[in-house]
Amino acid sequence: MLASALTGKKILLGVCGSIAAYKACDIVRNLRKLGAEVTVVVTSGGARFVSPLTFAALSAAKVYGGMFDEQDAHTIPHINLARDHDMILVAPATAQTIARFAVGMADDLLSAVVLAADCPVVVCPAMNSKMFTHPATQVNLTKIAAFGYHVVQPDSGLMACKEEGPGRLPEWSVILSAVEKVFTPQDLAGKRLLITAGPTEEPLDPVRYLSNRSSGKMGYALARAAMLRGGEVVLVSGPCNLEPPANVELIQVRTAQEMYGAVLSHFDDMDIVVKCAAVSDFRPARCAPEKLKKEGADVRLELAANRDILRALGERKKSQILVGFAAESENHLEEGKRKLAAKNLDMIVVNDIQGETTGFQSDTNKVTLVTRGGEIKELELLTKEQTAMAIFDEVVALVGGGM
Ligand code: PMT
């Protein structure tokens, strides 16, 4: 298993009496897959929906329920559970349990543990939308947020009670982002970042286009890493089949010209820009309005040059930190340094694109970071998520040196 932000973390999962309790089974499995140790505390309501036996089997650990279970009395469970964990995640959290947290009640094991804890608490409300939007619940959520608890906004949609509105337990990817964020230094807090990702498509006719092999994985990993570190992120993405990271503003574009427009219109408001997208340097000089026929076709393709977006940013740049990528198959460093200078960048990520484990489409990457000051840092083969974090370690150092 590859190391993740959760490897070795001890997480206490509180499960309350909501129909979404069945989703807590997957939460236990997913947390453990990422290397976390999970202890489940289930309320009496939660135990009506999912048997503690199920949680015991999934977590491979004792499940706690009652405040006064006699066989545990000597261990003072509410204190020891609070003390022994790196995080408490309450998912699903009902209106009743949130109200208990808000007034500091300790009349069941979960609320007593939360009251006694000094580790981070993440709360994922899940309930009927009228219960969720009721002023009492909203006041309680504001209160627990003021205590420093991290409240994850529920999804909207059709619920088990056949009503529609906010109150559904969010998808696992959203819960995971909230959990990982708590364990991630917030060193990009207050910064606005623009990340580009994926390929561009340059149409030839309504069904054909020129493009490249970029999957978007590297750019999406960068956007997620920046969000986890507290940044406010705009992701300008070419066509990709990836789920966009939670809490990131996604702007979808198709062509290099559309990407140019989206990037330039946001640039002045940004603190940091990372241009990871594989932008087509050329487009067909003309896009036929109807599908081209092969009979009697002119087999030569006339191309027109696309504007270099990164170069335009380099010319316009004021205080922004500007990071480019260079996808290279030979003379990596020389080409990287040339692009860094020519495009007025603060850093370039030189991407070795030869081999199946690095560059386009792979889940891993091998890059060398070259800064304007001439520092060169060669990274080992890492997952794209780890590569993204390592890139932001350097970016944060550059920001620290003054933007
Ligand atoms: O998406 P994946 O499958 O995960 O693959 C990731 C990746 C290999 C695409 C990525 O890591 C990468 O290397 N991206 C840069 C690809 C590229 O276009 O490199 P380049 O050397 O051609 O361009 C240099 C820089 O100029 C890049 O930052 C590029 O975004 C930018 N550029 C290029 C052309 C253009 N018209 N406008 C630009 O802004």
Side-chain angles (χ1 to χ4, degrees):
M1 182 170 40
L2 286 163
S4 79
L6 302 191
T7 304
K9 296 284 189 239
K10 290 180 162 186
I11 299 182
L12 185 149
L13 176 67
V15 181
C16 308
S18 152
I19 179 60
Y22 78 93
K23 297 183 183 172
C25 298
D26 271 341
I27 296 178
V28 176
R29 290 177 57 236
N30 289 329
L31 288 171
R32 290 194 68 215
K33 260 194 231 161
L34 291 167
E37 275 179 47
V38 183
T39 309
V40 178
V41 173
V42 63
T43 66
S44 56
R48 303 290 289 268
F49 284 92
V50 180
S51 157
L53 197 63
T54 305
F55 288 124
L58 292 173
S59 65
K62 179 177 164 55
V63 172
Y64 293 81
M67 180 85 149
F68 300 108
D69 286 348
E70 276 173 21
Q71 73 270 32
D72 293 325
H74 64 291
T75 66
I76 322 180
H78 67 288
I79 301 301
N80 279 322
L81 286 170
R83 215 180 259 157
D84 285 353
H85 287 87
D86 298 305
M87 171 189 286
I88 298 174
L89 168 66
V90 187
T94 53
Q96 164 78 5
T97 292
I98 291 166
R100 281 196 174 102
F101 294 166
V103 292
M105 282 173 74
D107 63 342
D108 71 356
L109 183 62
L110 181 59
S111 54
V113 169
V114 166
L115 198 60
D118 54 11
C119 64
V121 179
V122 177
V123 176
C124 302
M127 64 197 74
N128 165 277
S129 58
K130 292 209 175 65
M131 293 170 80
F132 177 72
T133 53
H134 192 287
T137 304
Q138 290 302 309
V139 166
N140 288 336
L141 287 170
T142 306
K143 269 192 187 172
I144 65 169
F147 298 160
Y149 300 178
H150 306 264
V151 177
V152 182
Q153 284 311 305
D155 274 354
S156 275
L158 187 62
M159 296 197 268
C161 56
K162 305 270 186 289
E163 282 183 24
E164 265 196 84
R168 287 164 56 99
L169 191 71
E171 295 296 324
W172 163 242
S173 59
V174 176
I175 298 175
L176 176 62
S177 287
V179 167
E180 277 191 79
K181 195 166 179 176
V182 169
F183 291 128
T184 308
Q186 296 298 287
D187 48 14
L188 289 175
K191 300 283 179 236
R192 286 154 304 173
L193 295 97
L194 189 147
I195 317 280
T196 68
T200 61
E201 287 181 359
E202 311 298 329
L204 182 57
D205 70 13
V207 293
R208 303 179 181 96
Y209 55 82
L210 299 181
S211 190
N212 59 65
R213 293 175 50 235
S214 172
S215 61
K217 286 179 189 172
M218 189 66 242
Y220 278 52
L222 284 160
R224 186 166 189 275
M227 175 277 295
L228 289 178
R229 294 172 87 132
E232 202 182 300
V233 182
V234 175
L235 171 62
V236 177
S237 173
C240 295
N241 291 318
L242 298 176
E243 190 188 332
N247 303 321
V248 160
E249 185 190 341
L250 176 69
I251 301 176
Q252 288 172 298
V253 296
R254 185 176 180 210
T255 64
Q257 285 172 304
E258 286 172 22
M259 187 172 279
Y260 183 96
V263 169
L264 268 286
S265 67
H266 283 80
F267 184 60
D268 293 343
D269 298 332
M270 295 294 149
D271 299 306
I272 298 162
V273 175
V274 185
K275 277 226 74 259
C276 178
V279 185
S280 295
D281 289 316
F282 298 97
R283 64 180 184 278
R286 278 168 295 283
C287 174
E290 305 299 337
K291 185 181 168 194
L292 293 166
K293 303 270 183 276
K294 65 181 170 205
E295 293 80 22
D298 182 353
V299 289
R300 288 163 307 173
L301 185 59
E302 196 186 327
L303 298 175
N306 279 325
R307 282 176 294 189
D308 189 316
I309 307 168
L310 192 53
R311 190 181 288 269
L313 299 183
E315 285 163 8
R316 188 165 167 157
K317 155 175 146 66
K318 291 196 175 82
S319 58
Q320 292 94 340
I321 293 282
L322 192 53
V323 179
F325 268 70
E328 305 298 340
S329 55
E330 56 181 354
N331 301 328
H332 306 80
L333 267 184
E334 292 68 27
E335 273 306 295
K337 285 180 186 168
R338 187 184 62 73
K339 288 177 185 174
L340 175 98
K343 302 191 186 192
N344 189 23
L345 309 179
D346 297 283
M347 183 166 90
I348 193 146
V349 181
V350 184
N351 205 155
D352 182 351
I353 54 165
Q354 276 193 325
E356 285 181 5
T357 54
T358 173
F360 290 92
Q361 295 181 341
S362 58
D363 290 329
T364 50
N365 212 356
K366 180 143 181 40
V367 301
T368 303
L369 312 181
V370 184
T371 62
R372 181 195 277 278
E375 274 177 62
I376 297 175
K377 188 178 261 186
E378 200 175 326
L379 302 183
E380 54 190 317
L381 186 73
L382 299 170
T383 64
K384 284 187 171 165
E385 287 70 26
Q386 291 167 329
T387 305
M389 281 295 178
I391 290 170
F392 282 118
D393 288 344
E394 286 310 307
V395 169
V396 166
L398 290 175
V399 173
M403 299 204 317

